[in-house]
């Protein structure tokens, strides 16, 4: 009998997760970046049910007023999941940043004007401000049309319709953001400002001077990858090929599809137990509803461990879903690794596209099971996910998942 030894495999989600799935800036593409009466700009973005679009732009002829939707932003889907289209101007409000004393709105306003002795909180402007200055409703000055482009993509067109009103004004260049949603809750429901609280430096720069650079830099640092990992399948085997999958082949119909699309490893585990050469199969943790979340607030990310009994010649492979995707999965590359290896084996892990569901923006697709959707079927060979890909730039595997054997 081959000599056996004990080993423990540990899989961790170590991702430095970001709360915003997308963000960006907008401006007039003409000779001036300012959006004058009669001019328009457009924002294109991807989003799933439960997510919202927030943006901000300065009311140009004011001291510190800005346009923005009420948090968490413009609603994009009806409760039944149908995309919303048409005029959404009513969701846009006019806000007082609370850092400058208001003057009568118009071309003669002095920028940046007199600072408030004690900065106030961000408040909605409803007709008349504390100084008695009168303002039209935001929807009378700014028109917002939402169009669903298909495949979870929207285009929001913002038009300056203030010309000919009592309050004509340019709009400044602005910023926009879409927050991740996890478990039905937005990770950042107030990405740009928060009513009733003091403004941030970045928002103040927009509200007072129309300068979107500071807030844009902040949003860029808050934008990136967030994903849970599904329960992890671990297999110990003796074979010349990885029993889970093979790059260049289509899904074998043995359960990998359910793991890659829904994070359900049960079917794949059951099938692997019938494969010649497979010694042991585990799903960690056993509860299929438990996922491995990224670190949060200084707390470590989700981790699972399993004690193994291995011998010379044994191979080891794992698989787990990239939770906020349509059918991406992390897995051991090629024919796994020597099961008697000790130490950090993360370099043996790759990210793969199962080829059974049409891809959408990770974390912002309405057909992603992790966001309550139903994957849209395709049939293509399994392949490595390129980086960068058609949607986003991913960190290295070593910054998302960690796998060690001790």
């Amino acid at each position: 009998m081959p000599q056996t030894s004990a080993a423990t495999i540990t899989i961790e989600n170590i991702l430095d997760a970001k709360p915003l799935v997308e963000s960006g800036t907008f401006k007039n593409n003409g000779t001036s970046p300012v959006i004058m009466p009669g001019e328009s700009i457009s924002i294109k973005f991807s989003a799933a049910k439960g997510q919202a679009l927030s943006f901000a732009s300065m009311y140009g002829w004011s001291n510190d007023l800005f346009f923005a939707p009420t948090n968490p932003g413009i609603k994009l889907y009806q409760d039944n999941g149908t995309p919303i289209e048409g005029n959404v101007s009513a969701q846009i409000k006019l806000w007082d940043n609370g850092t400058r004393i208001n003057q009568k709105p118009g071309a003669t306003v002095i920028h940046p004007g007199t600072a408030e002795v004690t900065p106030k909180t961000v408040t909605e402007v409803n007709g008349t401000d504390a100084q008695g200055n009168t303002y039209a409703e935001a929807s009378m000055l700014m028109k917002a049309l939402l169009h669903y482009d298909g495949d979870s993509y929207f285009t929001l067109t913002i038009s300056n319709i203030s010309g000919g009103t009592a309050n004509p004004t340019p709009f400044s260049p602005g910023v926009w953001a879409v927050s991740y949603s996890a478990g039905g809750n937005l990770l950042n429901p107030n990405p740009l400002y928060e009513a009733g609280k003091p403004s941030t430096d970045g928002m103040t720069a927009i509200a007072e001077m129309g300068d979107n650079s500071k807030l844009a830099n902040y949003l860029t640092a808050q934008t990136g990858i967030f994903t849970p990992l599904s329960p992890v399948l671990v297999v110990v085997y003796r074979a010349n090929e990885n029993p889970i999958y093979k790059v260049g082949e289509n899904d074998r119909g043995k359960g990998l599809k359910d793991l890659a699309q829904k994070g359900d490893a049960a079917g794949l585990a059951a099938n692997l137990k019938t494969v010649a050469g497979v010694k042991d199969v585990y799903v960690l943790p056993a509860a299929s509803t438990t996922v491995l979340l990224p670190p949060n607030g200084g707390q470590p990310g989700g981790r699972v461990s399993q004690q193994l009994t291995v011998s010379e010649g044994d191979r080891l492979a794992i698989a787990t879903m990239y939770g906020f995707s349509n059918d991406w999965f992390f897995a051991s590359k090629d024919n796994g690794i020597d099961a008697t290896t000790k130490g950090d084996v993360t370099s043996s892990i790759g990210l793969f596209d199962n080829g059974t569901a049409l891809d959408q923006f990770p974390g912002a697709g309405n057909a992603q099971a992790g966001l309550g959707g139903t994957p849209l079927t395709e049939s293509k060979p399994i392949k490595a996910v390129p980086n960068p890909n058609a949607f986003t730039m991913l960190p290295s595997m070593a910054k998302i998942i960690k796998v060690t054997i001790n």
Side-chain angles (χ1 to χ4, degrees):
M1 295 291 291
Q3 184 176 358
T4 62
S5 61
T8 300
I9 184 170
T10 300
I11 301 97
E12 303 173 71
N13 188 335
I14 60 170
L15 176 65
D16 179 15
K18 304 299 183 181
L20 302 180
V21 61
E22 297 172 90
S23 66
T25 61
F26 60 85
K27 65 177 183 178
N28 187 358
N29 291 324
T31 55
S32 168
V34 175
I35 305 155
M36 297 299 293
E39 297 180 328
S40 301
I41 61 92
S42 292
I43 303 167
K44 187 178 178 68
F45 60 97
S46 184
K49 181 182 175 183
Q51 293 178 314
L53 174 74
S54 187
F55 72 87
S57 173
M58 181 188 182
Y59 182 121
W61 286 346
S62 74
N63 292 90
D64 67 339
L65 305 185
F66 64 92
F67 296 97
T70 303
N71 284 323
I74 293 174
K75 185 176 180 178
L76 304 170
Y77 292 88
Q78 297 177 17
D79 293 342
N80 64 3
T82 302
I84 292 172
E85 294 191 274
N87 193 327
V88 292
S89 306
Q91 297 184 52
I92 301 169
K93 307 297 180 183
L94 185 60
W95 303 90
D96 187 337
N97 196 58
T99 50
R100 297 285 167 179
I101 296 174
N102 292 335
Q103 295 174 287
K104 182 179 179 180
T108 59
V109 71
I110 300 173
H111 294 288
T114 305
E116 294 279 3
V117 175
T118 302
K120 296 179 173 61
T121 60
V122 175
T123 56
E124 182 180 349
V125 177
N126 287 305
T128 304
D129 62 21
Q131 285 75 38
N133 300 310
T134 302
Y135 302 86
E137 289 186 9
S139 61
M140 301 298 293
L141 307 176
M142 176 180 284
K143 184 177 182 180
L145 293 178
L146 188 64
H147 181 263
Y148 183 63
D149 305 327
D151 200 24
S152 298
Y153 280 98
F154 293 84
T155 297
L156 180 74
T157 299
I158 298 172
S159 300
N160 188 332
I161 59 171
S162 67
T165 71
N167 299 122
T169 182
F171 304 156
S172 75
V175 296
W176 62 269
V178 177
S179 170
Y180 276 103
S181 177
N185 298 312
L186 294 173
L187 298 189
N188 188 349
N190 307 296
L192 307 181
Y193 73 97
E194 192 165 354
K197 292 190 176 181
S199 184
T200 64
D201 289 345
M203 190 67 253
T204 295
I206 287 182
E208 292 186 0
M209 297 173 287
D211 180 0
N212 64 352
S213 60
K214 194 167 189 175
L215 189 52
N217 290 337
Y218 169 79
L219 293 175
T220 297
Q222 296 295 305
T223 304
I225 303 303
F226 176 93
T227 188
L229 305 180
S230 71
V232 185
L233 181 138
V234 177
V235 57
V236 180
Y237 61 98
R238 281 177 176 263
N240 295 324
E241 288 189 347
N242 190 322
I244 300 174
Y245 76 101
K246 184 176 181 179
V247 169
E249 286 186 356
N250 281 39
D251 182 272
R252 297 167 181 169
K254 300 294 186 180
L256 179 58
K257 174 182 173 180
D258 282 345
L259 181 147
Q261 290 189 10
K262 297 183 280 188
D264 182 358
L268 180 58
N271 274 300
L272 285 173
K273 291 176 181 178
T274 68
V275 174
V278 171
K279 297 178 61 179
D280 296 300
V281 181
Y282 307 92
V283 178
L284 314 174
S288 61
T289 57
T290 304
V291 297
L292 307 185
L293 292 171
N296 180 35
Q299 298 298 314
R303 59 183 289 166
V304 288
S305 296
Q306 176 65 47
Q307 188 169 354
L308 311 171
T309 300
V310 298
S311 58
E312 292 292 333
D314 287 349
R315 309 293 296 176
L316 187 149
I318 73 164
T320 179
M321 180 188 181
Y322 183 113
F324 281 168
S325 72
N326 295 79
D327 66 339
W328 292 356
F329 64 99
F330 297 96
S332 302
K333 294 182 286 190
D334 304 318
N335 190 26
I337 62 167
D338 182 343
T340 62
T341 300
K342 301 294 184 182
D344 189 330
V345 295
T346 306
S347 61
S348 69
I349 306 299
L351 180 61
F352 301 91
D353 184 339
N354 192 50
T356 54
L358 292 171
D359 289 335
Q360 296 175 316
F361 199 109
N366 59 11
Q368 291 166 6
L371 293 173
T374 301
L376 303 173
T377 302
E378 69 173 2
S379 181
K380 293 182 178 179
I382 295 171
K383 65 178 182 180
V385 174
N387 194 23
N389 51 69
F391 307 101
T392 189
M393 178 72 182
L394 299 167
S396 66
M397 293 303 99
K399 292 185 178 181
I400 304 175
I401 186 171
K402 183 177 182 181
V403 182
T404 54
I405 303 175
N406 295 308

